[in-house]
Amino acid sequence: MAASGNPEVKLLGIWFSPFVLRARIALNLKEVQYEFLEEQLGTKSELLLESNPVYKKMPVLIHDGKPVCESLIIVQYIDEVWAGSGTTLMPTDAYERAIHRFWTVYVDDKLYSSFLDSIMRYRTDEAKAEAEEQTVAALQLLEEAFDKISKGKPFFGGDTIGYLDIALGCFLGWIRAAEINGLKLLDHARTPLLCAWAEKFYNNEAVRAVIPDTMKLAEFTKVLRSSYQNRVPPTK
Amino acid sequence: MPQEREKQMEETVKLLGTKGSPLSHRAEVALRLKEVKFEFLNEDLAHKSDMLLRYNPIHKKVPVLVHGEKPIAESLIVIEYVDEAFEGYNILPRDPYERAMARFWARFIDEKVIPAFWMSCWTDGETQKGFIAQSKETLTTLQRQLEGKRFFGGDSIGLVDLAGCMIAFWFAVLQEVAGINLLNEEDYPVLCRWAEDYCRVGAVSESLLDRNLLVAHFASKKERIFATKAPVYD
């Protein structure tokens, strides 16, 4: 789980990225040793440009010299390659897999987009409030989904952390940071199941080892916001 | 045969779709490749059925596959489900690395190739020039994946070919209606050859709408699409 490890498995990433976190949590749950190669903010290493020429983004998993890109594709790859090791990430039933996949697409398309608007990309205070509302609405739908999918168990994946848990859980640090900065997102009245789930997810060994510090993220969010404002001035 | 499998094969399969939609086409071809018996329920997207609203309440979109009572939405998710739930033809590769590559290029088509081409059709002036440049880059990148292969899936069509159906059939229609000439044999000989081969596959040609009908349809909707930039498939 540490920075040095199996040279056959490398992960290119950066401390704050929730997408990189997905890959790290998956590797930990599958008990795969790997070398974490940390990129520096503002520059892209030769290795990153070489191994992800199409998007030039992190995370990139390099396994036996072969790169795999896109966080969710990486998580599924890890689950399939190291099938015999650690816990299983994808459900075994094809329909349940389809349900997990449906909601991960929803997380990336709807939740992430509104969330980013609410913490960084909003142009006016009204827009910020609306983005916050949309994020809460998305979390509400996920609360209902959790109720149906978990069937009373602690995670979307059942007794152990699964694909959808990882896809959504990677944002928890950011969500907590946003709440420190004044947003109201997860709430014991509105989303009690997700609140309980978040605690369990956070306290899992595989997650605790790699989740970034909330205060550090809260400060970083402010930095991101002001740099965004400089690039894209607010409308009146 | 295990009881679960037997039960699964007895369950009815319905596909809620729209013939003019490439997303619906993806799901339909997947079912045909697996030789699954299914009922195609054509949706009028201007007047969505109760069934569609019940089975896909979040997005209210086609395609939706209903296997027994279980709804599955999102075309690429439907393809993976069909590949896993039914035996026979391999739509995705079996090797994990090849699977990851297939999923990557399918996403690339959805995230980069299609949006750039679509916007090239329905914008003008400098904006259009920008999208056309983007589109050319994405088509070039995608075409490179066909080097030495008949289909993206190898000797037979797979996930990426299905994901690329819009490129294979709809792009020529759209650019005709929009009056641009982006995807042509001179600039993209390999991609154009692939497009022809793709459309000739039995499971594909059975699912395609008549080209003239599709041209007429988009021509009639041209102004509306130009204004909203939103697709209208029926």
Side-chain angles (χ1 to χ4, degrees), chain A residues 70 80 95 97 101-102, chain B residues 71 80 84 99 103 107:
Chain A
E70 299 288 291
E80 289 170 15
Y95 181 64
R97 277 203 288 280
R101 285 176 178 140
F102 175 87
Chain B
E80 291 221 30
E84 292 166 7
R99 288 163 79 79
R103 286 172 177 144
R107 249 184 84 96

Side-chain angles (χ1 to χ4, degrees), chain A residues 32 149 164:
Chain A
V32 178
I149 296 169
L164 180 51

Side-chain angles (χ1 to χ4, degrees), chain B residues 195-207:
Chain B
E196 271 181 50
D197 284 348
Y198 174 80
C199 292
R200 271 201 286 261
V201 171
V204 170
S205 59
E206 280 167 23
S207 311

Side-chain angles (χ1 to χ4, degrees), chain B residues 3 16 35 43 52 61 73 107 116 128 184 193 226-227:
Chain B
Q3 248 187 344
L16 280 68
E35 295 177 353
E43 279 290 323
L52 178 62
K61 284 181 174 174
R107 249 184 84 96
Q128 187 184 40
N184 56 65
R193 188 270 312 149
F226 207 97

Side-chain angles (χ1 to χ4, degrees), chain A residues 52 54-55 66-70 73 76-77 80-81 94-95 97-99 101-103 105-106 110 141, chain B residues 56 58-59 70-74 77 80-81 84 96-97 99-101 103-105 107-108 111-112 141:
Chain A
N52 192 358
V54 174
Y55 294 110
K66 294 186 295 191
V68 182
C69 308
E70 299 288 291
I73 293 176
Q76 289 182 90
Y77 175 81
E80 289 170 15
V81 169
Y95 181 64
R97 277 203 288 280
I99 300 292
R101 285 176 178 140
F102 175 87
W103 286 106
V105 169
Y106 183 83
K110 304 282 180 195
L141 278 181
Chain B
N56 191 2
I58 311 266
H59 303 300
K70 297 175 292 198
I72 298 112
E74 302 285 313
I77 296 176
E80 291 221 30
Y81 175 78
E84 292 166 7
Y97 183 72
R99 288 163 79 79
M101 291 302 103
R103 286 172 177 144
F104 178 87
W105 291 110
R107 249 184 84 96
F108 178 75
E111 306 260 302
K112 298 287 173 192
T141 302

Side-chain angles (χ1 to χ4, degrees), chain B residues 26-40:
Chain B
R26 289 172 177 178
E28 194 181 337
V29 177
L31 288 166
R32 290 189 190 279
L33 288 170
K34 291 289 207 181
E35 295 177 353
V36 174
K37 259 193 4 231
F38 67 99
E39 192 188 348
F40 188 92

Side-chain angles (χ1 to χ4, degrees), chain A residues 1-7 9-11 24 33-38 210:
Chain A
M1 291 190 207
S4 65
N6 183 354
V9 185
K10 298 189 221 285
L11 184 73
R24 300 193 79 180
Q33 296 289 315
Y34 66 100
E35 192 182 346
F36 185 57
L37 299 171
E38 183 133 27
V210 289

Side-chain angles (χ1 to χ4, degrees), chain B residues 17-139:
Chain B
T18 298
K19 277 294 185 183
S21 155
L23 303 180
S24 176
H25 167 93
R26 289 172 177 178
E28 194 181 337
V29 177
L31 288 166
R32 290 189 190 279
L33 288 170
K34 291 289 207 181
E35 295 177 353
V36 174
K37 259 193 4 231
F38 67 99
E39 192 188 348
F40 188 92
L41 298 169
N42 200 65
E43 279 290 323
D44 173 0
L45 297 174
H47 304 96
K48 295 179 182 179
S49 72
D50 286 338
M51 205 184 237
L52 178 62
L53 299 176
R54 188 169 79 240
Y55 284 132
N56 191 2
I58 311 266
H59 303 300
K60 307 176 177 55
K61 284 181 174 174
V62 294
V64 180
L65 180 76
V66 187
H67 188 189
E69 280 301 301
K70 297 175 292 198
I72 298 112
E74 302 285 313
S75 61
L76 296 181
I77 296 176
V78 171
I79 294 174
E80 291 221 30
Y81 175 78
V82 168
D83 199 37
E84 292 166 7
F86 300 98
E87 281 168 356
Y89 194 100
N90 286 342
I91 303 177
L92 270 86
R94 289 299 167 242
D95 171 71
Y97 183 72
E98 296 303 319
R99 288 163 79 79
M101 291 302 103
R103 286 172 177 144
F104 178 87
W105 291 110
R107 249 184 84 96
F108 178 75
I109 288 169
D110 268 357
E111 306 260 302
K112 298 287 173 192
V113 182
I114 292 175
F117 189 90
W118 180 263
M119 293 305 276
S120 299
C121 291
W122 313 115
T123 51
D124 51 18
E126 285 308 305
T127 318
Q128 187 184 40
K129 287 201 186 114
F131 282 120
I132 287 177
Q134 240 181 64
S135 190
K136 285 186 170 165
E137 218 186 291
T138 63
L139 288 169

